[in-house]
Amino acid sequence: DAGVIQSPRHEVTEMGQEVTLRCKPISGHDYLFWYRQTMMRGLELLIYFNNNVPIDDSGMPEDRFSAKMPNASFSTLKIQPSEPRDSAVYFCASTIQGGGEKLFFGSGTQLSVL
Amino acid sequence: EDQVTQSPEALRLQEGESSSLNCSYTVSGLRGLFWYRQDPGKGPEFLFTLYSAGEEKEKERLKATLTKKESFLHITAPKPEDSATYLCAVQARGNTPLVFGKGTRLSVIA
């Protein structure tokens, strides 16, 4: 298996632009998580899905952030409009129920908002 | 609110110099404590899960231990390839998502 695949690896955009991050989880995994990592705050959970259904989005910082999972093999995290404080590394992770929370992470998307 | 505090923030060791990383936690009923390793430019990679006080897990030069309030990651005779950020996370009962600490950046110098 190729693991969790995220795209793009790097994204540089200007304030006010729309940003879309993409994630393909490991086949057969029924949980998908979006995390954001910064030096100041560490790794923070934004939202997670179970069987394509959003379970908890309380970590989404504000209405500018939205996430979807239209099917078991694809998820997006969208920021509109983007702001400089959104600059961070965004990780997607997946796991299988009963997997002892052994999360499998993608390589992340480094987002820079100028 | 579940919290995880890791110390030190950064640690620099000579090759072969053993040491320990600390993870203190507060959680409303611990289901599991997890250690991950993160290399620069990559996502965290799972190392261990500990479920109850007194439990220990080992992998090569790493050994993780757990008490009711904290966990230690002991590194014996480290090598430069052990350089990475080590993350600790806790999961409360009820199948809630993991809460991560900020990590310890370990540098092992040859």
Side-chain angles (χ1 to χ4, degrees), chain B residues 16-35:
Chain B
E17 179 186 3
S18 300
S19 187
S20 296
L21 313 182
N22 177 264
C23 171
S24 298
Y25 64 90
T26 55
V27 63
S28 53
L30 181 70
R31 185 181 184 199
L33 184 139
F34 305 82
W35 284 97

Side-chain angles (χ1 to χ4, degrees), chain A residues 33-106:
Chain A
F33 303 80
W34 282 100
Y35 283 89
R36 177 171 69 175
Q37 187 175 42
T38 62
M39 288 293 292
M40 287 294 292
R41 301 175 68 89
L43 203 58
E44 301 175 285
L45 178 67
L46 299 176
I47 184 172
Y48 77 99
F49 296 81
N50 178 217
N51 291 322
N52 312 336
V53 176
I55 303 301
D56 184 355
D57 65 354
S58 60
M60 298 285 259
E62 46 198 276
D63 292 344
R64 298 184 296 105
F65 286 69
S66 63
K68 294 182 180 180
M69 192 165 186
N71 57 62
S73 59
F74 184 66
S75 178
T76 60
L77 178 67
K78 185 176 293 187
I79 307 172
Q80 167 63 21
S82 58
E83 296 183 4
R85 59 189 168 132
D86 301 330
S87 298
V89 182
Y90 291 80
F91 287 103
C92 174
S94 69
T95 191
I96 190 166
Q97 190 171 8
E101 293 307 321
K102 182 179 178 180
L103 295 180
F104 293 81
F105 283 82

Side-chain angles (χ1 to χ4, degrees), chain A residues 9 31 33 35 37 39-43 45 48 56 91 97 100-103 105-108, chain B residues 31 34 36 38 41-46 49 51 87 91 95-102 105:
Chain A
R9 285 299 311 274
Y31 281 85
F33 303 80
Y35 283 89
Q37 187 175 42
M39 288 293 292
M40 287 294 292
R41 301 175 68 89
L43 203 58
L45 178 67
Y48 77 99
D56 184 355
F91 287 103
Q97 190 171 8
E101 293 307 321
K102 182 179 178 180
L103 295 180
F105 283 82
S107 294
Chain B
R31 185 181 184 199
F34 305 82
Y36 284 77
Q38 185 175 20
K42 296 187 177 181
E45 183 177 342
F46 174 82
T49 308
Y51 293 103
L87 298 168
Q91 184 186 29
N95 202 27
T96 56
L98 302 190
V99 175
F100 283 85
K102 293 183 180 180
R105 295 189 309 279

